[in-house]
Amino acid sequence: MYKKRFDNRKFDESRPIEATISVVENATGSAHFSLGNTKVIAAIEGPKTLHPRRIQDPERGLVRCTYDMMSFSVDDRKRPGPSRREIEIGLVMKNALQPFVLIKEFPKTVVDVYTEVYQADAGTRCASICAASLALADAGVPMRDLVASVSVGKVGDKIVLDLTKKEEDYEEGATDIPISMSGRTKEISHLQLDGCITLDEFKKALDVGEKGCQEIYELQKKVLKEKYGGV
Amino acid sequence: MSDTKDIVVPGEVIGKGIDIIPGSGVIREGEELISTLVGLKNVSGRALRVIPFGGVYIPREGDTIIGEIEDVSFSSWHVNIGGPYSATITVSEAVGEYIDLQKTDISKYYKIGDKVIAKIKDISTSKSILLTMRGPGLRKLEEGYITSISPSKVPRLIGKNGSMITSIKEATNTTITVGQNGLVWIRGKEREDEIKAAEAVAMVNKDSHTHGLTEKINEMLGDKNVQKKI
């Protein structure tokens, strides 16, 4: 029985969220995003000409995502360089973001999204997607909507929002469901499930996830508006 | 201008009704008009658009731009105009006289690294861009100083009927040409004049979305003039 969360949060409460934009001067757009102890920097390059030319699409542009965890981001040293997991998360991020980026306006080009996780405590792919969405907006890449992402799950017998690493490793079993959702239209562009869950519990988890995503979306809007003088 | 209600973010509903025409940075979904960029909402008549705060240069036909010669080929030059696409300028559009291409090396007219003011003549659907240098003021740039600003801030730097750029020119006694791609060419008699003008341009770039920018610029230029006299 999981009666009380390890960090005394409510079951449907996320960790403290912080976001800043324009943190990397040399990038077209960038953002820093933290979900509790999970901290990510995202930077955008482009739209720029895509090379090699044979992979250019004359009708639309391309979104390319790179996800990287730094060696010191986890307890045991992570071997540097892209692993199978990181390449996969890059693809997951691309699929989560691409439906909302209006890439048709930039044929033959690529928008490169780089994310660096420098401190990890579960939910790194969600934090990366949130940061990337903010950075894309900061870079002036046209988007249909902002994307917010959060993980929900079942720890023991409770549906919880925004799992920490300790909760993911809970001895009685934990299920982790990262969800990415657009802020205004509430379209789900990414959903993964690792573990076991019943249909009813899953529906409940989706509701909790939606609430979490909306909370992040409100913060994203606030951060983007505040940057340009309006409070 | 700096009110929060005027600053919009992607995905925000900024208008409703089928009689509103979506301009740049706005898309229509049913009756609702949605912003696709972070910027200032701008309404003129029935048209609704969003003026972005940042982003790369998106070329449009008729834009006057400042470019750098990137490559010289047999009968044309490749020009870097910033942004995702590079442009081409052919010999006939760049040089007024007859050239026998078999006998002439065209790099004697423009070589790699030269800066030119040119106009966008044509953009094809596959985004290949043709430039022309036939027209008043279109030429190779010699001497002077080139600085860059965000392409989205070019209209602010120019100001209403060129008011902002004229006041900078007059106060610093320089010649300034602003390319739509965000490159700004400054030429003055003294190096200090050029630097002062560049500082003013950088200030417009930084504070373009704030209230009272014109006053700030005038104050800055005015102060420096006073110092010079002393």
Side-chain angles (χ1 to χ4, degrees), chain A residues 123-149:
Chain A
T124 55
R125 73 192 68 194
C126 298
S128 297
I129 290 167
C130 294
S133 166
L134 273 175
L136 281 167
D138 184 39
V141 177
M143 283 196 293
R144 212 151 53 81
D145 212 338
L146 289 171
V147 189
S149 182

Side-chain angles (χ1 to χ4, degrees), chain B residues 118-132:
Chain B
K119 199 170 213 158
I120 296 181
K121 191 186 168 202
D122 184 52
I123 303 173
S124 73
T125 43
S126 62
K127 298 283 177 188
S128 65
I129 298 166
L130 283 178
L131 299 177
T132 181

Side-chain angles (χ1 to χ4, degrees), chain A residues 28 46-49 58 102 105-109 137-146 184-185 217 221 224-225 227-231, chain B residues 2-4 7-13 27 29 32 34-38 53-56 58 83-86 125-128 153 209:
Chain A
T28 321
K48 60 183 182 184
T49 315
L102 302 170
E105 293 183 18
F106 304 105
K108 291 184 170 180
T109 64
D138 184 39
V141 177
M143 283 196 293
R144 212 151 53 81
D145 212 338
L146 289 171
R184 175 178 54 90
T185 55
Y217 173 59
K221 280 204 292 192
L224 286 170
K225 289 188 179 191
K227 167 77 197 328
Y228 294 99
V231 177
Chain B
S2 64
D3 278 355
T4 326
I7 299 174
V8 296
V9 299
E12 194 171 323
V13 179
I27 52 165
E29 273 183 19
E32 291 177 334
I34 314 245
S35 165
T36 63
L37 300 166
V38 185
F53 285 136
V56 295
I58 303 303
Y85 309 107
S86 82
T125 43
S126 62
K127 298 283 177 188
S128 65
K153 285 163 188 171
H209 56 283

Side-chain angles (χ1 to χ4, degrees), chain A residues 88-89 92 125 129 152 175-180 188 190-194 202:
Chain A
E88 182 188 309
I89 294 178
V92 164
R125 73 192 68 194
I129 290 167
V152 282
T175 305
D176 176 31
I177 314 169
I179 302 173
S180 299
I188 294 174
H190 152 231
L191 189 145
Q192 287 174 293
L193 196 152
D194 178 16
F202 178 70

